Amino acid sequence: MSVYNAGEYLRPSLLSIVNQTYRNLDILIIDDGSTDGCFESVQDLLADERVRVIHQENATKPVAFNRALDHIRGEFYAIQDGDDISHPMRIEKQARALVSKPHLAAVFCGNELIINGTFMAPVFALKSEDVCRVEINAFRMPAHDPTGMFRTSMVGHMRYEPSLKVCETFDYILRIGESYPMVVLGECLYAYRILPNSLTRRAPAWRQQFATEAFRRACDRRGLRFEQISEDSKSANKLSRHSLLDNNIAAHFMTSVLDLCRENRRLLALKTGWQCACLHPADPHYYKALVYALMPPRAARRLRRAFPTISLEAKK
């Protein structure tokens, strides 16, 4: 866990790891120069013999992640953002998947969102090695970045790029996927908190420059012309103003609706579509998830494939 001023959210986040059904854990927390006193709320949890804390001056998330990687002791390592929640069996199920398939370098899972304290929009589609490879080749992460669990013997030597103050996980996961197989479990095991005052939401242009650099790095590794692919992506990815500010969260709701419809959970799909529309009632883009929920599932999937919403950015 990399923690920087996680405030009231640190305790429930750390509790969700301490209380995992899988108990053989080494819980390593990098305090990246927090100044809000958030660690005062977890003193009793820090007494757990499995928990280690390393304090450092604020140096950005990729630097904190790299310091953690220098100190890991596990056969596998997983990420937990300091304000998110892992479902109780997350670690057990991901570890079981890595043990059962020794050739895999990473296992991800589905996730839901936490908005204003409410859990919503679960995404839980199973993705095979082949599907993940297609996603990586298309410059997309197969799943939300902090849901990953990685095999230390395969990728423990890799480090996050410190020059990428955000989108460092996008770059990291692309590099792993370019060389090693990965899968996504068909379950929602992680909850990602949306904070309205986060830096990446307040400064979309600042965020975009790092996303572009991560994309450029991937093109260079693959021997592709960044300029041409970038122009093609821009023409396919015309987002509304609100979508640019919130990193196209509506796309997550659309995926959730399709997953729910596929499982014949139509009422929850309708509720999810409506929750998306309520985020920005005056923006038509946020009604797409609701439209998908009202359409026959096959027609919705065809429409989604015909008019995909493409994002080249990490979500945090």
Side-chain angles (χ1 to χ4, degrees):
M1 297 179 67
S2 171
V3 176
Y4 174 69
N5 288 350
E8 63 185 293
Y9 306 120
L10 178 58
R11 183 174 181 83
S13 181
L14 181 53
L15 266 173
S16 76
I17 294 298
V18 169
N19 292 332
Q20 286 288 304
T21 57
Y22 189 92
R23 306 296 298 171
N24 189 27
L25 299 175
D26 175 34
I27 305 170
L28 178 57
I29 303 172
I30 306 297
D31 171 23
D32 191 30
S34 295
T35 58
D36 67 345
C38 60
F39 280 87
E40 295 177 7
S41 69
V42 295
Q43 289 302 306
D44 58 323
L45 302 181
L46 300 184
D48 189 312
E49 62 181 9
R50 299 172 300 168
V51 178
R52 294 185 287 153
V53 181
I54 298 176
H55 299 277
Q56 65 180 31
E57 296 294 322
N58 182 245
T60 73
K61 197 170 184 178
V63 174
F65 275 156
N66 287 341
R67 188 163 187 186
L69 288 172
D70 290 339
H71 290 83
I72 58 173
R73 301 190 293 219
E75 183 177 348
F76 312 130
Y77 60 95
I79 304 297
Q80 168 86 6
D81 279 348
D83 53 3
D84 293 346
I85 303 291
S86 283
H87 292 203
M89 295 188 70
R90 176 208 167 183
I91 300 299
E92 178 181 340
K93 290 186 175 184
Q94 290 184 287
R96 186 187 303 153
L98 284 169
V99 168
S100 66
K101 296 185 177 180
H103 67 288
L104 291 178
V107 170
F108 297 85
C109 63
N111 74 283
E112 59 191 337
L113 305 178
I114 310 174
I115 301 179
N116 297 326
T118 300
F119 291 71
M120 62 180 72
V123 168
F124 50 88
L126 173 71
K127 293 185 180 180
S128 66
E129 295 174 45
D130 289 340
V131 171
C132 289
R133 191 174 299 109
V134 169
E135 297 272 22
I136 292 293
N137 289 342
F139 302 94
R140 294 192 298 265
M141 292 187 294
H144 187 33
D145 42 302
T147 70
M149 179 181 284
F150 307 91
R151 191 180 303 276
T152 306
S153 61
M154 284 188 178
V155 299
H157 64 284
M158 297 178 65
R159 293 295 182 267
Y160 292 83
E161 174 52 50
S163 66
L164 297 175
K165 296 182 180 180
V166 295
C167 300
E168 74 289 336
T169 48
F170 173 52
D171 171 77
Y172 184 74
I173 291 170
L174 285 185
R175 283 188 281 128
I176 290 176
E178 288 164 3
S179 301
Y180 301 98
M182 53 179 60
V183 298
V184 181
L185 300 182
E187 295 185 70
C188 176
L189 300 172
Y190 192 89
Y192 170 74
R193 193 179 301 276
I194 302 293
L195 298 175
N197 61 344
S198 68
L199 180 58
T200 55
R201 290 168 64 86
R202 287 185 282 115
W206 178 80
R207 179 191 69 209
Q208 182 59 45
Q209 69 176 339
F210 293 107
T212 299
E213 178 56 28
F215 184 32
R216 184 190 302 275
R217 287 166 56 87
C219 289
D220 289 344
R221 288 193 304 272
R222 302 178 190 190
L224 302 173
R225 288 186 62 244
F226 164 77
E227 291 77 12
Q228 182 59 52
I229 296 179
S230 180
E231 285 303 314
D232 292 344
S233 298
K234 287 178 182 178
S235 64
N237 196 18
K238 296 179 180 178
L239 301 176
S240 67
R241 175 179 174 274
H242 293 117
S243 295
L244 291 172
L245 289 174
D246 67 16
N247 209 2
N248 196 19
I249 194 176
H252 177 96
F253 279 87
M254 294 178 217
T255 301
S256 177
V257 163
L258 293 177
D259 285 356
L260 291 167
C261 288
R262 187 172 52 249
E263 296 293 319
N264 202 31
R265 298 164 67 181
R266 300 300 298 237
L267 287 178
L268 185 53
L270 286 168
K271 180 180 179 181
T272 299
W274 178 247
Q275 288 171 325
C276 185
C278 289
L279 294 177
H280 293 288
D283 190 333
H285 182 63
Y286 290 79
Y287 285 85
K288 291 181 181 179
L290 183 57
V291 171
Y292 288 164
L294 293 168
M295 295 174 66
R298 289 185 179 179
R301 287 194 292 271
R302 285 198 299 269
L303 183 62
R304 183 83 163 126
R305 287 194 295 267
F307 301 99
T309 302
I310 302 169
S311 177
L312 298 175
E313 303 174 29
K315 295 179 180 177
K316 264 191 180 177

